[in-house]
Amino acid sequence: MDSRHRREPLRLIIAHLGARQHYQLSRGAERNGVLARLITDFWNPFGWGSTGIATALRWPLLMRMASRCTKGIPLRKVIALYHIGLCGALIRRRCHDNESLYRHFLTEGQDFARQCIRWLDINHNVFIGFASGALESLRFERSQGRAGAVVQFDAARMHARIVSEEESRFPELAPLGRTGIPESYFARLEEEWDEARCVIVASEWTRRALIEQGVPSCKIEMLPLAYSGPQLAFEHRRSSKLRVLWLGNVTLSKGIVPTIEAARLLEKEGVSFTIGGPIGIRMSTLSLPTNMKIIGPVPRNMASSFYASHDLFILPTLSDGFAITQIEAMAHGLPVVATPCCGAVVEDGVSGFIIPARDSQALAEAIRKFRDDPNLIERFSIAAITRSKDFSPEAIWPQEHGVYRRIADCHESAHS
């Protein structure tokens, strides 16, 4: 009989701390009938409708807790290890440097991966865990003759090195109390890479970084993130100024310094900058140009209004596992100026521009092109909306299914 007819149907267990990738892996698996179980550290059992109440109360912790759910995944398929989630949230508030924070990540990841094991008791043939919270589960799955994969969401040591370099270049902006990441954290990641049948990454940037760190290229599967958002048509957004938007962590590794320098170059040229996101630099030492404002965190349910009120999105990151914000921006009709150090989303010269990292002159020049030619905004906006559809859940699912099927088939053939 043809081996293809002896395949077991796919049944996935996905396990992660936090709301990794906004639950897109689990949502895609459930939509296509292959999700057996989602294991996480916190889940809002009242559903997405309760997020409005939390937002109205404006209590940040309550807002974060309320957002820990997603539409499309039935509660009966979710296992929430609440004691890990609640204790972790309290402990992280007391961590004031990298040493203590990453040692907490180590302990939390070990506890989570061990606690997951008791919930791997239902029919499934692929387990997918996430970096630093999967090792013990992966070992158990192998002992039971099942396939395991780990999602590596950033460039690991390479990302840490880039952060360290930037903090050395701009010590006045580096957060106080920063120390290096403990070697034991990276050692755990490397054990997970070794133990897993497959390492899943979201970008060529991360794939190359892991190969440099010793992961065999044949073991890496690249799976871009899916984005489920509005399907918009282009609409004119003419204003007296070109309005540039940044949404994401405000950190050195995201490229805040070249962004400030680019804004200063464009200070007298009719361009304004809005920087939204959690602040990870020392603001007290920062001198901003007059055309830039940093507004701090933006609640997820308010992001659409920011996209709608701006003309151009920038992502000058130095290292990013993927950066789904670029797809969100494009789905809202914003062209994007990005670097190659993230997911390959922007089509250079079509839906935006790709510029070198750390290059404030190149960033300013790319922005200037849109300011000087209003028709460029229209052409690139239409192309951006079209490009964003390439990352819809329906468009990405065949790639996801192919990755999961290869993981399962490889393991089944090894044990046949």
Side-chain angles (χ1 to χ4, degrees), residues 182 212 239 398:
E212 288 184 21
S239 67

Side-chain angles (χ1 to χ4, degrees), residues 91-109:
I91 293 171
R92 283 191 293 276
R93 292 171 70 90
R94 298 199 297 267
C95 294
H96 300 297
D97 56 57
N98 267 7
E99 181 77 20
S100 60
L101 181 62
Y102 277 84
R103 292 203 180 281
H104 162 66
F105 287 157
L106 270 173
T107 303
E108 183 181 50

Side-chain angles (χ1 to χ4, degrees), residues 149-160:
V150 63
V151 178
Q152 179 60 45
F153 41 76
D154 65 13
R157 290 182 188 274
M158 179 183 288
H159 180 83

Side-chain angles (χ1 to χ4, degrees), residues 166-182:
E166 289 303 289
E167 291 180 348
S168 296
R169 293 177 68 201
F170 306 103
E172 73 281 4
L173 297 180
L176 293 172
R178 285 296 293 260
T179 56
I181 297 174

Side-chain angles (χ1 to χ4, degrees), residues 74-96:
L75 185 59
R76 61 184 170 80
K77 289 194 176 183
V78 179
I79 299 297
L81 307 178
Y82 289 104
H83 62 289
I84 295 178
L86 293 172
C87 289
L90 294 173
I91 293 171
R92 283 191 293 276
R93 292 171 70 90
R94 298 199 297 267
C95 294
H96 300 297

Side-chain angles (χ1 to χ4, degrees), residues 13-26 38-43 68 73 79 81 112 116 127-131 133-134 151 153:
I13 290 182
I14 298 173
H16 55 76
L17 292 153
R20 285 292 175 190
Q21 301 177 359
H22 309 305
Y23 306 105
Q24 282 294 344
L25 286 186
S26 298
L38 166 63
I39 308 172
T40 187
D41 60 324
F42 191 90
W43 187 265
R68 290 293 305 277
I73 300 179
I79 299 297
L81 307 178
F112 180 75
C116 281
F127 169 83
I128 300 175
F130 278 63
V151 178
F153 41 76

Side-chain angles (χ1 to χ4, degrees), residues 330-405:
M330 294 167 80
H332 285 81
L334 273 67
V336 175
V337 179
T339 70
C341 309
C342 58
V345 175
V346 177
E347 306 152 297
D348 190 31
V350 178
S351 54
F353 292 111
I354 303 294
I355 61 166
R358 294 190 177 99
D359 193 332
S360 56
Q361 291 281 352
L363 178 58
E365 185 54 39
I367 294 170
R368 194 175 280 125
K369 290 177 181 177
F370 290 104
R371 185 215 58 189
D372 292 344
D373 184 1
N375 292 327
L376 196 66
I377 287 280
E378 181 170 348
R379 294 202 311 274
F380 279 43
S381 292
I382 294 169
I385 292 171
T386 300
R387 175 59 171 162
S388 72
K389 295 175 183 177
D390 293 339
F391 297 88
S392 69
E394 296 74 20
I396 294 297
W397 174 250
Q399 297 179 59
E400 288 187 74
H401 183 270
V403 168
Y404 304 149
R405 189 71 263 178

